[in-house]
Amino acid sequence: MPHIHIKSFKTLAFPARYDDIEFAFMATNLDHNDEHLIATKAQGKDFFLLVKDVKEKKLLKSDKISRPSSTYLVKKALLAYADASGCKKLESNVNDDEQNIHLVKNSALKTIHYFAECFPTGKEVRIEVGFGSGRHLLHQAKKNPDILFIGIEIHRPSIDQMIKQINIQKLDNVMLLDYDARLFLELVPSNTVGRIYVHFPVPWDKKPHRRVISETFIKESIRVLMPDGRLELRTDSDNYYDYAFQTFNTLNYMHIEIFKNRDISVKSKYEERWRRQEKNIYDIILHNKEKSPELEDPGSFDFPAEKYDMAKLKELNGTTHRFKGGFIHFERLYKTNDDRYLFRLSMGAFERPEHLYLLIGKDELNYFPSAPIRSKGNLKAHKILRGLLHG
Ligand SMILES: C[S@@+](CC[C@H](N)C(=O)[O-])C[C@H]1O[C@@H](n2cnc3c(N)ncnc32)[C@H](O)[C@@H]1O
């Protein structure tokens, strides 16, 4: 990840602007006063830069929680801050190269907020979870130009590779997302998806809670699939097959087909390797037969506009609050240069918590720079958070 080692840290007179980058305010960790977050806006995206001491040096880098999907924007903001504040650069992995041409031209890479706010409609949608090298996704997209494909990956180099291919092959029916597919599915409207492909998921034999296939994932898949839509799992792992078979069976869902060593029209790198090793490959295909109820409005992530008793709120720092299925942990507290406070939180369902910031002024309180994703676990946590903050 891009970073710059600087000799000593210098602040700006906030708010400040350098070229087309805005620096709105700075927040300092109340327990570690060498750690600062700098609220930055570049090309309409809000995020934090982070400054902290690492081995007697100061490190300026992007904050993991709020980092935008474009590495180019982060690099630009880091260089802008160092130049604007006159911080002496010691070493860095940041250059001021032109933005990667593929990332500039292509808007295929979307944020989770894009899908949460306005899920694409009007065309059949197909989703590939963990597309890896992207061979199957590219093959399907070329073969079906009238269908919109959403490819989801958590491995950034695979996404960058895929963006390149989308440009080279001039595909306009693929969107990509750098996010956990399990959470993404909760946001998808009901009855909209034709196929969900889960090909060769990581078996996670030692950390089964990280597996993509679970009872919740299958139930959500049935909800989002249109009648006659399909969830296709393909795996080379005997363990994963047994686990998935049992999980599908627990749901007592009748419309399931099983195949062993079925040929499909394109083979991924993984599949080629397993075939060379003469491993068995299993498919479990679920056919959806029903229309599901529409997604319920999960409610809002608002907070009431009222006066906040900061002395009381500060006591929450370091505390954890559990509820059925999830928790809220107040991880760190920062104070801004303009006398506001910023909590860093982790909250939501146990298996999929989110990290967030909460900005607190005298009579306003908001998630910053953006609200949590509208998942059931997050909404439940938000309701409990409101209760904690308002006594
Ligand atoms: C073993 S690879 C298979 C890649 C590809 N489907 C193929 O057949 O070659 C599994 C991929 O799933 C991705 N992955 C794992 N968990 C994921 C999740 N929760 N959401 C999205 N992608 C995930 C991994 O990053 C990895 O690239």
Side-chain angles (χ1 to χ4, degrees):
M1 268 296 122
H3 61 260
I4 304 178
H5 284 286
I6 48 180
K7 191 151 190 243
S8 54
F9 174 65
K10 294 183 184 154
T11 79
L12 294 172
F14 294 100
R17 197 185 169 91
Y18 189 83
D19 291 340
D20 51 355
I21 314 262
E22 289 165 46
F23 300 106
F25 62 87
M26 183 173 89
T28 302
N29 187 329
L30 287 179
D31 294 318
H32 297 278
N33 62 9
D34 60 297
E35 186 194 322
H36 312 282
L37 291 168
I38 299 156
T40 305
K41 192 183 199 93
Q43 290 182 13
K45 304 258 184 288
D46 285 295
F47 55 98
F48 283 121
L49 297 183
L50 171 69
V51 189
K52 62 186 211 179
D53 284 358
V54 177
K55 294 187 192 150
E56 289 158 28
K57 281 189 209 152
K58 295 270 176 199
L59 187 65
L60 178 60
K61 59 180 199 167
S62 75
D63 157 63
K64 253 198 214 153
I65 299 177
S66 57
R67 187 172 66 205
S69 53
S70 161
T71 314
Y72 170 73
L73 279 191
V74 174
K75 288 183 176 179
K76 219 175 148 196
L78 289 171
L79 289 171
Y81 190 86
D83 288 348
S85 61
C87 290
K88 188 164 181 246
K89 290 175 242 168
L90 297 175
E91 49 179 284
S92 107
N93 65 355
V94 176
N95 50 39
D96 48 11
D97 284 354
E98 283 306 300
Q99 189 168 2
N100 177 330
I101 186 74
H102 295 294
L103 296 175
V104 180
K105 280 202 306 189
N106 198 282
S107 59
L109 182 58
K110 305 293 181 202
T111 62
I112 187 68
H113 295 283
Y114 172 90
F115 291 107
E117 279 151 29
C118 179
F119 196 85
T121 52
K123 268 187 181 185
E124 178 184 332
V125 170
R126 294 190 186 175
I127 295 170
E128 177 151 355
V129 174
F131 54 78
S133 67
R135 248 193 229 181
H136 178 260
L137 184 55
L138 288 167
H139 168 84
Q140 289 290 349
K142 272 190 283 185
K143 210 172 84 179
N144 301 289
D146 295 331
I147 292 175
L148 174 66
F149 288 84
I150 301 177
I152 309 172
E153 242 310 328
I154 48 173
H155 183 238
R156 191 58 210 229
S158 300
I159 292 181
D160 290 344
Q161 197 51 37
M162 190 65 183
I163 293 174
K164 242 187 214 169
Q165 285 306 319
I166 290 171
N167 275 327
I168 293 167
Q169 304 190 26
K170 299 191 171 58
L171 295 171
D172 61 3
N173 61 333
V174 185
M175 290 182 181
L176 303 178
L177 176 66
D178 178 358
Y179 207 72
D180 186 328
R182 298 170 299 174
L183 239 184
F184 166 78
L185 220 54
E186 283 192 27
L187 309 175
V188 177
S190 305
N191 314 302
T192 51
V193 177
R195 301 262 198 292
I196 302 170
Y197 304 105
V198 185
H199 284 185
F200 303 97
V202 183
W204 290 118
D205 286 337
K206 294 207 174 115
K207 293 184 182 167
H209 65 280
R210 297 193 63 177
R211 288 174 176 158
V212 169
I213 298 289
S214 68
E215 247 184 82
T216 313
F217 185 86
I218 300 172
K219 280 185 189 155
E220 282 296 304
S221 297
I222 294 172
R223 181 186 66 71
V224 306
L225 284 171
M226 44 178 64
D228 284 331
R230 287 169 17 192
L231 164 61
E232 301 193 1
L233 165 69
R234 193 163 172 81
T235 181
D236 58 285
S237 154
D238 292 350
N239 260 354
Y240 203 89
Y241 167 74
D242 289 344
Y243 156 80
F245 182 73
Q246 275 172 27
T247 314
F248 277 91
N249 267 345
T250 354
L251 293 172
N252 240 346
Y253 200 82
M254 303 305 286
H255 312 289
I256 286 179
E257 284 179 291
I258 312 272
F259 296 94
K260 193 169 170 185
N261 297 328
R262 181 178 72 124
D263 266 329
I264 57 169
S265 49
V266 62
K267 288 183 184 56
S268 71
K269 277 192 198 161
Y270 276 88
E271 177 154 353
E272 277 179 355
R273 190 191 307 159
W274 305 141
R275 294 257 181 195
R276 276 197 302 274
Q277 293 178 12
E278 297 187 349
K279 278 182 89 172
N280 286 323
I281 290 174
Y282 305 94
D283 286 283
I284 302 183
I285 300 181
L286 176 147
H287 294 260
N288 180 41
K289 295 288 176 199
E290 55 197 49
K291 198 162 183 311
S292 300
E294 293 308 317
L295 249 188
E296 278 171 35
D297 180 358
S300 86
F301 284 107
D302 293 347
F303 293 99
E306 60 179 47
K307 292 249 174 286
Y308 289 92
D309 178 352
M310 206 49 229
K312 236 175 114 196
L313 293 193
K314 274 161 98 173
E315 288 171 13
L316 291 169
N317 193 21
T319 61
T320 304
H321 307 262
R322 288 182 180 78
F323 55 88
K324 194 166 181 267
F327 72 100
I328 300 168
H329 177 50
F330 291 82
E331 291 178 353
R332 295 178 199 172
L333 183 59
Y334 300 80
K335 187 162 187 196
T336 71
N337 60 291
D338 53 4
D339 274 342
R340 289 178 292 170
Y341 287 87
L342 184 79
F343 265 122
R344 179 178 141 144
L345 307 172
S346 47
M347 67 176 222
F350 282 124
E351 70 277 19
R352 288 175 248 164
E354 267 201 69
H355 291 274
L356 297 155
Y357 290 106
L358 196 63
L359 187 59
I360 311 170
K362 280 196 186 67
D363 45 17
E364 48 149 14
L365 198 150
N366 291 302
Y367 293 105
F368 184 90
S370 51
I373 298 307
R374 283 184 296 122
S375 67
K376 288 180 207 124
N378 285 348
L379 199 77
K380 198 164 172 191
H382 173 76
K383 282 192 187 136
I384 291 172
L385 179 63
R386 271 178 68 135
L388 290 168
L389 297 171
H390 296 279

